[in-house]
Amino acid sequence: MAVLTDTSPCVISNKSLHKQGYRTLMVNKRNWLHHRLVWTEHHGEIPKGKMIRHLCHNPACINIKHLAIGTAKDNRQDDIDADRLSWALKGEKCGKAKLTEVQARDILAHPKSAATIRHLSHKYNISISAIRKIWNRKT
């Protein structure tokens, strides 16, 4: 897990707003997410399979000290560690939801193993595939 150790404030981009709160700008007829452009200006190309993470959890921030490179898995772990799971636990508000947020968090807290998945499936009366979807953030 990457932790924001820099105490400098966020630098908020005033560029166009993307639907998820990120800022965008046009450079050489290409639309960029502003934080990705800032990263490439300081560190070069972003390798395939990597992403630029906001350690401050502010998608409009372009402070290079608040940005880190990593994988999608690293980014999800940052959210888990910061208790920012609203994107992963939306289901409770859905009328078809079988689990509460507390139950989903309980499932996420368990280690991934065959024995655990069977236990959780019986405990919450849901399918094994539903447990896997929760662990893989697919619900």
Side-chain angles (χ1 to χ4, degrees), residues 74-114:
D74 296 330
N75 200 42
R76 282 192 306 271
Q77 190 61 50
D78 291 344
D79 285 344
I80 291 168
D81 294 341
D83 199 26
R84 295 175 53 90
L85 289 174
S86 60
W87 56 267
L89 303 172
K90 293 177 184 172
E92 185 175 357
K93 295 177 182 173
C94 172
K96 296 180 181 180
K98 294 184 179 182
L99 299 173
T100 65
E101 182 176 334
V102 171
Q103 291 168 325
R105 286 180 187 272
D106 179 52
I107 291 168
L108 285 169
H110 280 80
K112 295 179 181 179
S113 71

Side-chain angles (χ1 to χ4, degrees), residues 49-51 53 70-77:
K50 299 289 185 173
M51 65 185 337
R53 299 154 36 219
T71 63
K73 184 177 180 181
D74 296 330
N75 200 42
R76 282 192 306 271
Q77 190 61 50

Side-chain angles (χ1 to χ4, degrees), residues 10 25-27 35 61 63 70 76 88 95 122-123:
C10 289
L25 67 153
M26 186 71 71
V27 177
H35 67 285
C61 179
N63 183 338
R76 282 192 306 271
H122 285 47
K123 179 178 178 179

Side-chain angles (χ1 to χ4, degrees), residues 16 21 33 37 43 61 63 73 106 110 115 117-118:
S16 299
L33 291 174
L37 183 62
H43 299 288
C61 179
N63 183 338
K73 184 177 180 181
D106 179 52
H110 280 80
I117 203 166
R118 284 190 302 273

